[in-house]
Amino acid sequence: MLEGWFLWFILFWVVVLITFMAIGGFFMFRKFLKALPKQDGKSDLDWQEYYLDKTIHLWGQPEKELLYELVSPVPELFRQVAKEKIAGKIGELALEEKASAINHDLIIRGYIQATPKRDHKFLRKKLDEMQIDIAPYEHLFD
């Protein structure tokens, strides 16, 4: 029979492992939902990849550096995913507008639209740190 500190040690690790598995399962399920095809036959991830492939030649080095700077507050574990999602949204906007190159305006608009509403507070803070005027983009925060 388990008694004393060893019982508490085992119970602690059972709770920790179940918690970690639940968190991992949550993120895996979200990724699974994004990979499911929609009515048009493509998933959100397929469209994101499409926009990236179609607009990769429109990116210049300063624009890439601006995107890297904008996603710098994102934890490193999720930074690549965030960068791809934002770049995909920027690519979508560029294709809709038939842009000849990715510019700062497209990057800021794509960044705002690709960021979840719950993170807009941090987004505003980052744009303020970078001394970027957000007044022309206020309508995108709604």
Side-chain angles (χ1 to χ4, degrees):
M1 182 174 225
L2 297 176
E3 294 180 11
W5 68 269
F6 191 67
L7 172 66
W8 291 109
F9 178 77
I10 296 295
L11 289 175
F12 169 77
W13 280 109
V14 166
V15 170
V16 167
L17 291 175
I18 289 173
T19 302
F20 284 160
M21 285 191 290
I23 292 169
F26 171 75
F27 285 108
M28 287 174 56
F29 186 68
R30 282 184 40 181
K31 186 75 166 185
F32 170 74
L33 289 178
K34 288 182 182 181
L36 285 177
K38 305 292 184 208
Q39 290 178 347
D40 60 4
K42 288 189 173 186
S43 69
D44 291 342
L45 295 176
D46 292 336
W47 279 113
Q48 179 180 302
E49 187 177 333
Y50 170 80
Y51 293 129
L52 286 172
D53 289 343
K54 289 291 185 183
T55 59
I56 193 74
H57 65 283
L58 301 177
W59 287 84
Q61 192 58 37
E63 288 76 21
K64 289 179 185 178
E65 289 173 7
L66 176 60
L67 179 61
Y68 295 146
E69 179 65 27
L70 290 172
V71 297
S72 64
V74 176
E76 193 168 338
L77 182 62
F78 306 109
R79 194 171 296 154
Q80 183 65 30
V81 173
K83 186 171 56 172
E84 289 173 1
K85 180 179 178 186
I86 294 168
K89 187 62 175 179
I90 294 167
E92 179 182 354
L93 293 173
L95 288 178
E96 285 175 1
E97 298 174 10
K98 296 177 179 34
S100 59
I102 302 294
N103 57 36
H104 290 286
D105 180 58
L106 275 173
I107 292 172
I108 302 303
R109 287 189 291 135
Y111 177 53
I112 294 169
Q113 291 178 7
T115 303
K117 299 265 187 235
R118 68 179 179 272
D119 294 336
H120 279 183
K121 178 179 150 187
F122 302 108
L123 181 149
R124 287 175 183 267
K125 182 180 175 185
K126 182 62 179 176
L127 292 173
D128 285 341
E129 286 175 10
M130 296 177 67
Q131 299 176 347
I132 295 174
D133 181 26
I134 59 173
Y137 308 107
E138 281 297 333
H139 66 282
L140 298 173
F141 286 104
D142 297 329

